[in-house]
Each structure stands twice: as C-alpha cells, then as structure tokens.
Amino acid sequence: MANIQFKVQPGGTIKGRIRVPGDKSISHRSIMMGALAEGTTTVTGFLEGADALATLQAFRDMGVEIQGPENGNVTIQGVGLRGLKKPSKPMDMGNSGTSTRLLAGILAGQDFECELIGDASLSKRPMKRVTDPLALMGAELITSEGGTLPMTIKGKGGNLKAIDYTLPMASAQVKSCVLLAGLFADGKTCAEEPAPTRDHTERMLNGFGYEVSSNKLNGQRMKACLQGGGRLTARHIDVPSDISSAAFFMVAAAVSKDSDLVIEHVGMNPTRTGIIDILKLMGADLQLENFHEVGGEPVADVHIKYAPLKGIHIPEELVALAIDEFPVLFVAAAAAEGQTVLTGAEELRVKESDRIQVMADGLNAVGVDAQPTPDGMIINGGAQSQQSGEIQSHHDHRISMAMTVAGINATDEIVIDDCANVNTSFPIFLDLINEVGMSVKAVEAE
Ligand code: S3P
C-alpha cells in the first residue's frame, strides 16, 4: 500500500456544523445481527470504512445476500441462526479487532470449520481473551503459538455449553463474543465485566427481539445474560454518528482559540460518553443539544467552543467509557494548563497499536512533556509546548487522526507517516477536518 503522509499546517479556528460518519461498533453489529435474523434488515447511516466492510464481506463469504452499502444504506437478507454457509477461503478481517473477536463467538456455534486472517497490526493482537471463554464453551479454536491470528475455528454446530464467565478485563469485544456464542449454547450464558463497557450488543439483540438481561452488581461490575436457542427478528437500524470520530473534532475545537463547532446526531450511549465527561472536567465549553433517541440509542448534537483547558487526574471509572478516545484526549491534555494523569488504562497497550507508547512518542516528537507509565500517561501541558515534528502512526487510524489534531497548536508543520489507515474508521476525515478550518494535505511519500 502507498505510504500516505498527512502534512498538517499549524493553527486554524474550528467552525461550522458537521456530521461525522456512522458508529463503527453499531455498524459491525448491524451486519452480524441482520445476517443471523429471520427476515430482511435495513440499515441507514452504515459506516463505509474498511473495518465494518470487513464484517460485511465475511457474511457475504458465508453466503448471506447483502445489498449495498450505498450512501450508508445496506439491506441484509437474514439467514437465521442456522443459515450461515462454510466460506470457500480464509476470511480477511483486515485491521479489525471487533470483526475478529465478535465473529469468533458466532463461528464457534456453526457446523463448519473456517479460518480468520488479518493485517500486520491485527495479527499481533491478543486472541486468547476470546479463545479462553470459547474453549470453556466446548469450542475448538487454534491460533498461532503466541495466541494471535491466523485463527482456525472448528464450529460445534450449535452444541456449545452455556457458561457464566467473568471477564479478566473490561472488554466489550470479549463480552460480545461470549454473548453471541451464547446464542448457540444449551442454556443461560452470562458475561460479567469488571467495569461497564459499551453495550451495543445487548441493546441490539433486544432490538431484534432477543432478550438480554443486564444487571449492575456491586461497585462497577455488570453482568449480561441470555438464553441460547432463541431467534432474532429482522428490523430497521438507523446508525448514529460515531462519538469516537466526533471526538477528534471536539478536541480540535476545544483547544483552538475562537472555535465554535456543532457536530450533529452523535451517538450518546452512556457507555460511550466518557470523552464528554472528561472534557467537561478539563473545563471545556461543551453543550449537548437536541437530545433524542434513534432505534434504542440516544443521540444529540454536540456544541463545543474554545475554552482554556486544565489538567486533571482522569477518574478511572471513565476509562472504559472513553477507551478509544485517549489518543485525542492526550492531545487535549497537551494543550491544557497543568498536569493530566491517566491510570488504569493498560488496555490501551493492546489496541491497533500500543497507544500509550505510540502517543507518548508522537507527543514527545512535537515537544510535549508526556511520560508513558505501565497503565497510562502523565502529561505536563500548556498551549505553547508544541513544536513541529515527524510522527509514525504505527498502523493505527486513531494515532493518525489524533496527531493531526495536535497540529493545531504546533509552531510549524507536522508530518504524520502511514495515514491510509484512517480509512478503517473515518474515510472522510481529511475532507471534514479541512472543511472546519484546519489545513491538512495528504501526499504520497516518495
Ligand atoms: C469495541 C470495543 C472496544 C473498542 C473497539 C470497539 C466494540 O474494544 O476499543 O474499538 O465494538 O466492541 P475492547 O473490547 O478491546 O476494549
């Protein structure tokens, strides 16, 4: 693939009214559940990024008829829980951890064997977190010795054992994998998590008429359960805009003088809104307007204006609720007066890149005092601290976009290497960031 560099000019005032593309997590799940449902599911606002398209292609490979995507519209001819067919070749998950881990749960319940492969970044990410619970359910999964892709899944033909599983880490992908495998199990399957994570799987299953109970246990712990052997009924899904994509624009507006931006129709699921709480704690001028609900998910317009930010100790209970937003939150912390401390976020080390190390390196390269710690980061911020620099994205879309936003407060051009990966979650990022007032060019490096 060509090396696309982003060349970011410093400065810019962020203004306008924009809509960012559909939510990645909900887009993945709309295809999965639409395929497993009985009847025709229609989707609007589907994210046409490489990750969600990898999920869509996988279900086509398993014989599901899918029309689109066209302008975010997708139609899925559901085949029911027993209707998937053995794919003729290994299924390519690209860069997408969500596709891989959720599919593993579904594939464990099929009556065929298949293989999942992925790109260089995905092939380094841990899969033991899903093979462990699936093995307890009686499934046979074979990974590389290091517990990574390629992964062969020998389906158990719907004869999985129901389990009551306690997740060792707060992960919506692992929780969803267990619950989706539970559809094919012989009783009640439960997934208990140490802290609440995004609950789109539970909400969408309920929306497809499949009952999932979700209970708060003591402290932060949550437990979701379902009975195997039911059925999903097709429906319409309107995918809200992705708060994780909106986050880049929220921070861009929060840290550049005179900015005033509205981001419309953003998903406000309370398991995803940690970014809003954290920015507010830092002193951001952020209002939520026009609150309403689309298909079981709350949405609102985010109105954000420039205000001086201050450093904070990020409350640990917000970590799982903002897990994908830390790259750009580190950029907010770099612009904030004083110290920002993040703890309890070791999961960041196993994302598309090691987001603690890679962001510390990126911020250090532009002159920010950012010290990585085993489970977080300490950033001594201040609006004047950023210089020019050259940065590596390490195959990680959110690093490319976060460091682009860092360019606003730089003193000279920032060059970010390897930015084609932005297509995984946000194909129109460059157009939108220029539209609202930054100056960023994509060039093919020699
Ligand atoms: C996701 C869960 C999160 C998140 C990822 C999407 C999902 O991963 O980082 O981008 O859609 O379930 P983890 O479950 O690994 O935290």
Side-chain angles (χ1 to χ4, degrees), residues 24-25 29 98 101 171-173 198 323-324 351:
K24 183 154 76 72
S25 294
R29 288 159 171 83
T98 308
R101 296 194 178 119
S171 165
Q173 291 178 355
R198 66 193 67 194
I323 195 68
D324 287 342
K351 294 293 175 189

Side-chain angles (χ1 to χ4, degrees), residues 23-26 28-29 51 97-99 101-102 125 129 169-176 197-198 200-201 244 272 320 323-324 347 350-352 355 397-398:
D23 187 275
K24 183 154 76 72
S25 294
I26 299 177
H28 281 296
R29 288 159 171 83
D51 277 15
T98 308
S99 310
R101 296 194 178 119
L102 271 60
R125 297 183 65 190
R129 53 182 58 200
M169 74 293 287
S171 165
Q173 291 178 355
V174 178
K175 170 179 66 177
S176 302
T197 63
R198 66 193 67 194
H200 304 299
T201 299
S244 298
R272 297 284 299 281
I323 195 68
D324 287 342
E347 275 294 301
V350 290
K351 294 293 175 189
E352 286 84 328
R355 287 184 175 160
H397 54 135
R398 298 201 200 281

Side-chain angles (χ1 to χ4, degrees), residues 9 12 17 37 65 87 90-91 103 113 137 142 153 202 204 220 233 252 257 265 273 300 331 354 393:
Q9 300 309 316
R17 211 181 163 87
E65 241 182 82
M91 293 191 283
L103 259 179
E113 177 179 323
M137 297 178 86
I142 304 156
I153 301 154
E202 299 90 303
M204 203 182 282
Q220 283 275 301
T233 308
K257 285 224 168 69
H265 199 69
T273 48
V331 173
D354 174 347
S393 80

